[in-house]
Amino acid sequence: MAVNLYDSAYALEKAIRESDEYLHLKRMYDEVNADPAAKSMFDQFRQIQMNLQQKQMMGQNISEQEVQQAQASVVQVQQNEKIFRLMEAEQRMSMIINEINQVVMKPLSEMYGGM
Amino acid sequence: MAVNLYDSAYALEKAIRESDEYLHLKRMYDEVNADPAAKSMFDQFRQIQMNLQQKQMMGQNISEQEVQQAQASVVQVQQNEKIFRLMEAEQRMSMIINEINQVVMKPLSEMYGGM
Ligand SMILES: [Ca+2]
Ligand SMILES: [Ca+2]
């Protein structure tokens, strides 16, 4: 990769790492990880989500029971304040990453998009 | 999004737009688009690829005939020199985008990865 591309990519990496949103997300993540009950609840939630996504991607059937289990786990984690705040912080970070991607990928989306 | 993030994202966008690899890709893309026969062959190829990907994502069956049609279209487009060079340029650009993404997303992969 050319020097200029590397430099620009690293400058953006640094800007993300120093952004309020990333620092906030990191704090929320550390808080959940420092609380064994919250961490175990959150890990379980992630596992359920990932299993469902994998089944969806592979076109496997998802049972009524699995849907209910997933919904129950969402309700459960949202009642934990630390996890709720972590998920809020993740959503904000994810919106920022989407915005960044739209800016950075513009040369390619312009080329392939309806030009 | 904070000013610093915007500025860094736009600087990277500009570096991509001015990179040798992007300029080369753009030339190869324009050459295919300026050649009606190549363009129509390439559009058809893309259509076949997208259909297959969509079916795969939705877990639908892909028939033996569809697999053969897809393989034949790959062989056909690779025999067209302009398309072949465009696909080479796309692969190089795609590798660079992957490298950029790995750099830029490091703050997040570090946080969620095995730390
Ligand atoms: Ca800020
Ligand atoms: Ca260069």
Side-chain angles (χ1 to χ4, degrees), chain A residues 57-59, chain B residues 51-60 62:
Chain A
M57 284 194 312
M58 300 176 71
Chain B
N51 284 347
L52 276 192
Q53 273 174 23
Q54 224 160 20
K55 284 200 168 186
Q56 244 167 352
M57 282 195 314
M58 299 176 72
Q60 289 172 3
I62 293 166

Side-chain angles (χ1 to χ4, degrees), chain A residues 2-3, chain B residues 19-21:
Chain A
V3 173
Chain B
S19 68
D20 295 342
E21 293 85 356

Side-chain angles (χ1 to χ4, degrees), chain A residues 18-82:
Chain A
E18 291 171 354
S19 68
D20 294 343
E21 293 84 357
Y22 180 75
L23 293 172
H24 174 71
L25 170 60
K26 184 113 185 53
R27 273 193 302 274
M28 297 304 105
Y29 184 77
D30 289 345
E31 271 195 34
V32 166
N33 276 292
D35 177 338
K39 184 177 170 9
S40 132
M41 194 192 289
F42 196 55
D43 284 347
Q44 211 184 331
F45 167 71
R46 288 258 196 247
Q47 196 55 54
I48 292 170
Q49 297 287 317
M50 278 199 303
N51 284 346
L52 276 193
Q53 273 172 23
Q54 224 159 22
K55 285 200 166 185
Q56 245 166 351
M57 284 194 312
M58 300 176 71
Q60 289 172 1
N61 276 338
I62 293 166
S63 71
E64 185 62 31
Q65 200 202 335
E66 283 173 308
V67 173
Q68 279 171 9
Q69 187 200 21
Q71 284 168 346
S73 77
V74 173
V75 172
Q76 193 195 26
V77 293
Q78 288 193 334
Q79 281 166 351
N80 182 297
E81 204 191 331
K82 286 176 191 168

Side-chain angles (χ1 to χ4, degrees), chain A residues 1 4-6 8-13 15-17 19 21-22 25-26 29 46 56-57 59 90 93 96-97 99-101 103-108 110-112, chain B residues 1 4-6 8-13 15-17 19 21-22 25-26 29 46 56-57 59 90 93 96-97 99-101 103-108 110-112:
Chain A
M1 205 197 320
N4 195 25
L5 278 174
Y6 261 124
S8 306
Y10 276 108
L12 177 56
E13 191 259 358
I16 291 173
R17 200 182 284 280
S19 68
E21 293 84 357
Y22 180 75
L25 170 60
K26 184 113 185 53
Y29 184 77
R46 288 258 196 247
Q56 245 166 351
M57 284 194 312
E90 284 179 334
M93 194 73 231
I96 292 198
I97 297 297
E99 283 180 72
I100 289 175
N101 274 331
V103 170
V104 170
M105 290 306 131
K106 221 177 168 190
L108 291 161
E110 268 180 20
M111 197 170 74
Y112 289 102
Chain B
M1 206 196 316
N4 195 27
L5 279 174
Y6 260 125
S8 306
Y10 276 108
L12 177 56
E13 191 260 355
I16 290 174
R17 198 180 288 279
S19 68
E21 293 85 356
Y22 180 75
L25 170 60
K26 184 113 186 52
Y29 184 77
R46 288 260 196 245
Q56 244 167 352
M57 282 195 314
E90 284 180 333
M93 193 73 233
I96 293 197
I97 297 296
E99 283 181 72
I100 289 175
N101 273 333
V103 170
V104 170
M105 290 305 132
K106 220 176 170 193
L108 290 161
E110 267 180 22
M111 197 170 76
Y112 288 102

Side-chain angles (χ1 to χ4, degrees), chain B:
Chain B
M1 206 196 316
V3 172
N4 195 27
L5 279 174
Y6 260 125
D7 288 349
S8 306
Y10 276 108
L12 177 56
E13 191 260 355
K14 189 164 177 286
I16 290 174
R17 198 180 288 279
E18 292 171 355
S19 68
D20 295 342
E21 293 85 356
Y22 180 75
L23 294 172
H24 175 71
L25 170 60
K26 184 113 186 52
R27 274 193 302 273
M28 298 303 106
Y29 184 77
D30 290 343
E31 271 195 33
V32 167
N33 277 291
D35 177 338
K39 184 175 168 13
S40 132
M41 193 192 290
F42 196 54
D43 285 348
Q44 212 185 334
F45 167 72
R46 288 260 196 245
Q47 196 56 54
I48 292 170
Q49 298 287 317
M50 276 200 302
N51 284 347
L52 276 192
Q53 273 174 23
Q54 224 160 20
K55 284 200 168 186
Q56 244 167 352
M57 282 195 314
M58 299 176 72
Q60 289 172 3
N61 276 338
I62 293 166
S63 70
E64 184 62 31
Q65 199 202 333
E66 284 173 307
V67 173
Q68 279 170 9
Q69 186 199 23
Q71 284 168 346
S73 76
V74 173
V75 172
Q76 192 195 27
V77 295
Q78 288 192 334
Q79 282 166 351
N80 181 297
E81 204 191 331
K82 287 176 191 167
I83 299 179
F84 185 79
R85 282 184 294 155
L86 172 56
M87 287 169 78
E88 270 185 333
E90 284 180 333
Q91 270 173 25
R92 268 159 67 186
M93 193 73 233
S94 155
M95 277 171 57
I96 293 197
I97 297 296
N98 278 340
E99 283 181 72
I100 289 175
N101 273 333
Q102 274 175 30
V103 170
V104 170
M105 290 305 132
K106 220 176 170 193
L108 290 161
S109 56
E110 267 180 22
M111 197 170 76
Y112 288 102
M115 266 185 81

